[in-house]
Amino acid sequence: MKEEYYISGTTRYPPLLSPLLVWRTAPGTRMEVTGFRGPYVLPLDIEFRTDHLVHICAGSGVVPNMSILKHCLHNGMGLRHTLVLGDKTHQDIIFRRQLDRLAEEHPDRFRVIHALSRESDADRYGPHYRSGRVDIDLIAPHLEDPSAAEVFTCGPGVGKWERLAAREGEREPSPRFMENVLGILEQLGVPQERIHRESYG
């Protein structure tokens, strides 16, 4: 663990967790891991709600979805999963090898589609790679029935401070990944109650 530093006038927001863990948590402190918590978890009745989970992520937004994927696939839940994952380059893909392995081990239950925004020849990495950003043309074919799928989307969104800055400048903040994806899902007719989201700014 390493501390994130706060430099007045340079760092936009003060770090909260890393200084606490580095300086205020004594060596040998016991921590209890309590399992999945919060709003971005599988509903208990997920297998009654749908048979298809669509994960739409960007960058490190794949991290909580990876936990959901592994939990479902390793515990024999009867759900199919499609992961649409946006990254800048092939090298930037978090869990790339683990995702490939899961797709090989569960070909009938898991497929992954990569969108690489800074590589014009992304298809050289394989048939599941596309050049460009995550957009409606990439998402739509994988939502066979938008009213029946359950969508988990995680990635960068407009944060509180960006909203405040935009308000002060009397303008709308520029949409980021999360706002774009939510707009696409609305356009495709995915009901709000079937969309689970987690964003960071």
Side-chain angles (χ1 to χ4, degrees), residues 169-188:
E170 297 182 0
R171 59 181 172 78
E172 284 294 313
S174 298
R176 298 182 74 192
F177 173 83
M178 183 57 64
E179 290 74 31
N180 288 329
V181 167
L182 293 175
I184 289 167
L185 295 176
E186 183 180 5
Q187 219 177 317
L188 293 173

Side-chain angles (χ1 to χ4, degrees), residues 1-113:
M1 171 61 72
K2 109 181 150 173
E3 180 189 7
E4 295 174 273
Y5 294 107
Y6 177 73
I7 302 163
S8 182
T10 303
T11 309
R12 286 181 78 179
Y13 317 112
L16 301 175
L17 184 60
S18 66
L20 173 75
L21 293 175
V22 171
W23 298 109
R24 301 212 174 154
T25 305
T29 300
R30 295 177 67 93
M31 294 187 180
E32 182 181 349
V33 179
T34 58
F36 305 127
R37 298 263 185 224
Y40 199 73
V41 296
L42 285 174
L44 294 175
D45 62 346
I46 190 66
E47 290 182 277
F48 296 101
R49 293 167 63 109
T50 188
D51 69 340
H52 187 203
L53 266 63
V54 178
H55 307 261
I56 306 171
C57 308
S60 61
V62 74
V63 174
N65 289 69
M66 185 64 165
S67 296
I68 294 170
L69 282 165
K70 289 194 299 184
H71 174 77
C72 292
L73 294 171
H74 293 160
N75 287 293
M77 296 176 74
L79 298 165
R80 293 177 298 118
H81 299 264
T82 301
L83 169 62
V84 177
L85 179 57
D87 283 287
K88 292 174 185 168
T89 69
H90 186 256
Q91 195 171 350
D92 291 324
I93 301 170
I94 300 172
F95 301 130
R96 187 179 73 234
R97 289 186 186 90
Q98 294 96 318
L99 289 168
D100 288 345
R101 195 175 314 119
L102 284 175
E104 286 171 19
E105 291 171 358
H106 306 278
D108 54 333
R109 293 171 54 214
F110 176 54
R111 62 184 166 178
V112 58
I113 300 92

Side-chain angles (χ1 to χ4, degrees), residues 147-164:
S147 65
E150 203 88 5
V151 179
F152 285 78
T153 181
C154 186
V158 176
K160 172 185 172 183
W161 303 110
E162 286 172 293
R163 282 193 172 83
L164 284 172

